[in-house]
Amino acid sequence: MKCITENPFRILGLYTNAKEREVTKRINYLNISLGIGKSLSLESDFPVFPSMNRTPESVSDAANKIEQLE
């Protein structure tokens, strides 16, 4: 289950074939939203999976993992 709950693309709410521009745009959006305390619900938050608890740290960690893949 860890491969689903800690998947960097799921954390960022992106498809695995997302372009670099899309990744950057989503990271900025999440950081701004989390910074102002906005509750986030993304299209990748399927109810059959455990709920996502996005934090600035989890977004940063996911971004770093995706950068390493490239």
Side-chain angles (χ1 to χ4, degrees):
M1 192 61 127
K2 215 174 179 184
C3 64
I4 294 171
T5 59
E6 295 182 14
N7 183 303
F9 290 97
R10 182 167 179 254
I11 292 170
L12 298 178
L14 294 167
Y15 294 111
T16 56
N17 64 346
K19 306 275 189 238
E20 185 177 347
R21 182 173 182 228
E22 294 171 290
V23 173
T24 302
K25 187 176 177 180
R26 182 59 59 98
I27 291 167
N28 290 336
Y29 169 76
L30 291 171
N31 283 328
I32 290 168
S33 297
L34 291 169
I36 61 172
K38 182 178 178 184
S39 177
L40 297 171
S41 178
L42 302 173
E43 60 276 356
S44 62
D45 296 344
F46 298 111
V48 295
F49 297 128
S51 64
M52 293 296 302
N53 183 22
R54 291 180 181 90
T55 63
E57 294 79 24
S58 68
V59 170
S60 176
D61 185 46
N64 289 336
K65 287 178 182 175
I66 290 176
E67 282 180 10
Q68 290 174 0
L69 293 175
E70 295 174 354

